[in-house]
Amino acid sequence: MNEPLEAVTGSSAKEPVRAVTTRVFLALAPPDDAKDELARALRPAYAAHPRMRWNRIEDWHITLAFLGELPVSAVPPLMPPLAGLAAGRAPLRLALRGGGHFDERVVWSGVTGDLDELHRLASDVRALVRECGVLLPERTFRPHLTLARSRRGDQAATVEAAAGLAAFAGRSWEAGSLHLVGSNIGRGPGQIHYRTIVAWDFGGGADGA
């Protein structure tokens, strides 16, 4: 579901809040049935490690470029060139497979399928964003879907949860759109919630304004 930028940058039920900055990234979103398949495989880990900070299933995504904290005014100018980039791309065939961890702190599921095209897409997205004046750090693109983070001193849970996904092989699915996502909703000591600001179909028009 697409959200107006004001909704992503923060609001209350009684009085809207006009934030000066917003935290955004560009990503692909697995379909619900692919996420449900992975969630079923994670049930033993959910039960064994309830204290881990598990990401909400509805927030699962494959990040292509993390833009970080931007002025709200810097986001709309990115939309037309990103829409044009998406319109010129074909959908990708991907699947979620296996799992691992980063530094015994972050549990992830791997991605397989059209990986050459996925890497090209990530490279082109990052290049376009830089051309629009957004400074991005030079980071190697490692396709994955982040699932959870361990609490301090509980690295064993991360390793065990990741090992439980070693044999997971999800069905293939079509990544058909590029998502501009905001992560300001819920910032603070609680869980961060993500919201799609706009999604552009590959090979088609923009899904949103």
Side-chain angles (χ1 to χ4, degrees):
M1 183 178 75
N2 297 327
E3 297 280 347
L5 194 57
E6 291 81 1
V8 177
T9 55
S11 66
S12 68
K14 295 181 179 179
E15 183 178 354
V17 176
R18 294 281 181 174
V20 176
T21 63
T22 185
R23 185 176 298 158
V24 293
F25 58 90
L26 292 152
L28 303 179
D32 288 344
D33 53 354
K35 292 189 291 186
D36 290 343
E37 189 178 31
L38 177 56
R40 288 193 294 272
L42 283 168
R43 284 175 183 168
Y46 288 152
H49 308 292
R51 294 188 67 257
M52 290 193 72
R53 292 177 292 184
W54 294 98
N55 287 3
R56 301 190 317 158
I57 294 173
E58 56 266 42
D59 289 338
W60 285 352
H61 59 269
I62 300 167
T63 300
L64 301 173
F66 181 70
L67 280 59
E69 197 84 16
L70 297 180
V72 169
S73 61
V75 178
L78 296 172
M79 295 182 179
L82 287 168
L85 183 150
R89 310 301 285 242
L92 290 77
R93 178 63 57 175
L94 302 174
L96 301 174
R97 178 172 296 175
H101 59 82
F102 296 134
D103 300 327
E104 300 184 351
R105 291 294 307 278
V106 177
V107 181
W108 50 264
S109 176
V111 180
T112 189
D114 295 335
L115 293 184
D116 288 344
E117 286 301 319
L118 180 58
H119 278 269
R120 275 191 283 270
L121 174 63
S123 178
D124 290 349
V125 164
R126 295 178 185 197
L128 185 151
V129 169
R130 290 188 179 102
E131 289 172 4
C132 292
V134 177
L135 298 177
L136 293 181
E138 293 289 345
R139 293 177 179 170
T140 301
F141 176 56
R142 301 175 65 178
H144 68 280
L145 189 154
T146 299
L147 301 172
R149 289 170 174 80
S150 66
R151 298 188 182 276
R152 192 176 301 278
D154 195 20
Q155 287 88 344
T158 303
V159 175
E160 185 176 328
L165 287 176
F168 174 73
R171 70 167 188 83
S172 66
W173 45 272
E174 184 177 272
S177 57
L178 174 65
H179 293 248
L180 175 64
V181 184
S183 61
N184 281 35
I185 289 181
R187 271 201 289 176
Q191 192 176 36
I192 293 176
H193 294 175
Y194 302 108
R195 294 291 184 273
T196 293
I197 299 170
V198 59
W200 301 280
D201 291 341
F202 294 133
D207 177 19

